[in-house]
Amino acid sequence: MTARTLTPTCPSMAAPVLAYEDLGIIQGSGWLFRHLDLHLGQRDRLALIGRNGAGKSTLLRLIANQVDADEGRRTIVPGTRVVMLEQEPSLAGHATLADYVLAGDDAPAAHEADAIADQLGIDLLRDAVTASGGERRRAAIVRALALKPDVLLLDEPTNHLDIVAIEWLESWLQRFTGAFVVISHDRTFLTRLTRQTLWLDRGALRRAEVGYGGFEAWTETVYADEQRQAERLDARLKLEEHWLQRGVTGRRRRNQGRLSKLKEMRAQRASMIGPQGAANLAIGTDDVRTKTVIDAKNVSKSFETRPIIRDLTLRITRGDRIGIVGANGAGKTTLLKLLTGELAPDSGTVKLAKTLDGVIIDQQRKLMAPDKRVRDVLADGGDWIEVLGVRKHIHGYLKEFLFDPSLAEAKVGSLSGGERSRLLLAREFARPSNLLVLDEPTNDLDLETLDLLQEVIGDYEGTVLIVSHDRDFLDRTVTITLGLDGSGKVDVVAGGYEDWERQRSRSLAAPRKPTTKAAPAAIPASARKLTYKDQRDYDQLPARIEAIDQAIARDEAALADPALYVRDPAAFTRLTAAIDRARADKETAELRWLELAEQVEALA
């Protein structure tokens, strides 16, 4: 591979610290991708988006110089340190996590690693062989960050992390002064952090100067342009290639309708939840016996002396979508096993409906034998599969799950991790059931598959139990959230992750009750209410924040036009500056409103 100096394509961009020109790599019997151009600026925050199998991880390894390209030219500023956080870091040959973190000639300083490990809450003296997936992932993050990279490459960094660790990583990356490229299925993570997007699609790499928040608007314009070109060419073959893109667009629109339905279901469930703190989900008198599928009363579970679940009373009805959230070790999987009858409580009772027939897709991904064909897994080697009582041809069913029909003859072992997870979903969703149990279902899935999973859950007529750290996915799918804080207490909240987080923030902001019988000190009259200005800000800021969000979305959509910079460079620069100002204004407004909300809670 030869080196060549590249110039930036936009005067507002700094000179790239790393670039590829005419990049190509062969995989199997053909090109995985070819003729790709790529540049990374000093402070780029790039989301790398693409379907499973498109080559995203391979592209990251090329950027990290871990694999050689078959053609193309690579340029890098001397002294630039590129560090990659891989999906599955190898800990082979290391006795402890510390041995792995501090291994190699380029090992980070021990004090740097220890400081990051303390913040992440990971014990580096842990035995590497017995470490959990979350502990291994945290150790890999410690090593990557302690190496002090100039360019950081992150391949599914939130897999196996709990929400606390994800939010810590978000905070670290917001302060990071270098460039990063991230592959992730976590929409919240991508939206909060990224400012540019790389889209790897059908062997081509497109770049937009918008973060993931503007990605869907951008892709809609690209798909619309391609559709018009295909219609002008009147080429049936070209149109046939668009079945996936039309499916993606339609799926997004349908999911907007499902979100409206979800809000109605949440409102209905909110009216059925008892007083806060009772953790009791009551049911109306209408047909209780037939609607109740899981009835838990005063359930408690401890391991040794530590309470995991304490005095939980919960009634789950047909059609409920239950999300379970909390830090690693808080008891999410234990609660799931209690509710499905896999684990007996220490006290209390859990009654399951006699007609309950569940499908469990767990986080261990006990996948199919690698030497089997996709056809064998789905249809026992045949051409037809029965899906919830409806007979479907295997090729059509594969299309529904975003597979090329030709993959029917492929071996399971040749599929990527995400494709195998998608195949598992396709197999399990074909089975008749009235209870669906998903333990970390979003790991290894691409964003389009997550849209599909959201659609399937929305149409599912039974009850769904979901353990997940994916905040956006929970907000799009569940009607009730069970929040665990690690003390054994379970909060029952109508809504998704944001609703639980909002309630938890209120609880933390609420004043503590006096611990003695002494009368509380008198509150001065001036402190018993907000000032006129504070009250006005408290009332008006939510609408202002929403207006800023709409302005950002509008400007990002305009900026997503690939031809904008060439057609009107001044408009491109103006929009970029406006988006930066709006984001700063939004952050200031949000902080101000949160401060006032805490005052209102205290006064209440």
Side-chain angles (χ1 to χ4, degrees), residues 14-15 17 40-46 150 173-180 195-196:
V17 294
L40 302 181
Q42 293 177 349
R43 292 295 304 275
D44 279 356
R45 274 95 172 87
L46 283 154
D150 300 299
L173 288 171
Q174 285 168 346
R175 301 189 307 270
F176 181 50
T177 58
F180 65 76
R195 296 291 178 265
Q196 300 89 18

Side-chain angles (χ1 to χ4, degrees), residues 263-275 280-282 479-480 492-495:
K263 290 179 181 178
E264 295 176 5
M265 295 170 68
R266 287 174 174 172
Q268 180 184 9
R269 283 323 241 142
S271 66
M272 300 162 66
I273 293 179
N280 181 27
L281 189 59
T479 56
I480 300 167
V492 181
V493 180

Side-chain angles (χ1 to χ4, degrees), residues 5-223:
T5 301
L6 298 178
T7 56
T9 58
C10 168
S12 65
M13 298 179 190
V17 294
L18 188 151
Y20 273 102
E21 185 180 14
D22 209 25
L23 176 64
I25 190 167
I26 296 172
Q27 189 173 83
S29 59
W31 292 94
L32 178 62
F33 45 71
R34 199 177 188 189
H35 305 310
L36 302 190
D37 293 331
L38 168 69
H39 64 271
L40 302 181
Q42 293 177 349
R43 292 295 304 275
D44 279 356
R45 274 95 172 87
L46 283 154
L48 177 53
I49 307 298
R51 286 186 293 148
N52 288 134
K56 301 188 300 295
S57 295
T58 300
L59 182 57
L60 274 198
R61 287 194 289 271
L62 281 164
I63 297 172
N65 213 26
Q66 293 181 358
V67 295
D68 292 328
D70 292 296
E71 64 180 20
R73 291 174 289 276
R74 183 177 193 262
T75 304
I76 186 168
V77 172
T80 300
R81 189 166 206 176
V82 182
V83 175
M84 180 167 177
L85 173 67
E86 299 187 65
Q87 274 200 59
E88 299 294 337
S90 175
L91 273 62
H94 301 293
T96 67
L97 297 179
D99 291 338
Y100 159 73
V101 169
L102 302 176
D105 296 335
D106 62 343
H111 69 277
E112 294 280 357
D114 288 340
I116 295 173
D118 286 342
Q119 295 173 58
L120 260 178
I122 176 70
D123 180 9
L124 294 181
L125 297 180
R126 184 85 162 79
D127 187 342
V129 175
T130 59
S132 68
E135 289 170 327
R136 295 161 71 93
R137 174 48 57 99
R138 291 181 193 227
I141 290 173
V142 169
R143 177 178 172 85
L145 304 190
L147 283 169
K148 295 186 175 181
D150 300 299
V151 176
L152 182 60
L153 309 174
L154 304 157
D155 195 352
E156 293 292 359
T158 65
N159 272 5
H160 305 295
L161 293 185
D162 59 18
I163 290 171
V164 174
I166 292 172
E167 290 177 342
W168 180 90
L169 183 58
E170 284 178 354
S171 177
W172 191 95
L173 288 171
Q174 285 168 346
R175 301 189 307 270
F176 181 50
T177 58
F180 65 76
V181 183
V182 57
I183 300 170
S184 180
H185 64 264
D186 188 328
R187 282 184 167 92
T188 304
F189 187 84
L190 292 175
T191 301
R192 289 182 177 180
L193 292 172
T194 61
R195 296 291 178 265
Q196 300 89 18
T197 301
L198 294 172
W199 182 22
L200 188 56
D201 176 49
R202 291 163 288 166
L205 185 68
R206 298 177 175 90
R207 174 168 174 148
E209 297 305 310
V210 294
Y212 181 74
F215 173 71
E216 291 190 358
W218 172 44
T219 57
E220 293 290 351
T221 62
V222 173
Y223 287 147

Side-chain angles (χ1 to χ4, degrees), residues 222-296:
V222 173
Y223 287 147
D225 288 345
E226 289 185 349
Q227 184 70 20
R228 285 192 293 270
Q229 292 172 12
E231 289 170 352
R232 284 197 296 268
L233 291 172
D234 194 26
R236 291 193 176 188
L237 179 61
K238 184 68 176 176
L239 287 172
E240 177 61 21
E241 291 178 358
H242 282 258
W243 65 265
L244 172 63
Q245 281 68 39
R246 291 198 299 273
V248 169
T249 301
R251 184 169 299 112
R252 287 173 182 163
R253 290 172 182 157
R254 291 194 299 274
N255 282 343
Q256 290 303 311
R258 286 184 175 84
L259 286 176
S260 298
K261 180 182 177 182
L262 186 63
K263 290 179 181 178
E264 295 176 5
M265 295 170 68
R266 287 174 174 172
Q268 180 184 9
R269 283 323 241 142
S271 66
M272 300 162 66
I273 293 179
Q276 179 54 36
N280 181 27
L281 189 59
I283 292 299
T285 57
D286 61 323
D287 199 14
V288 171
R289 291 183 180 179
T290 58
K291 290 186 70 175
T292 301
V293 294
I294 301 173
D295 193 3

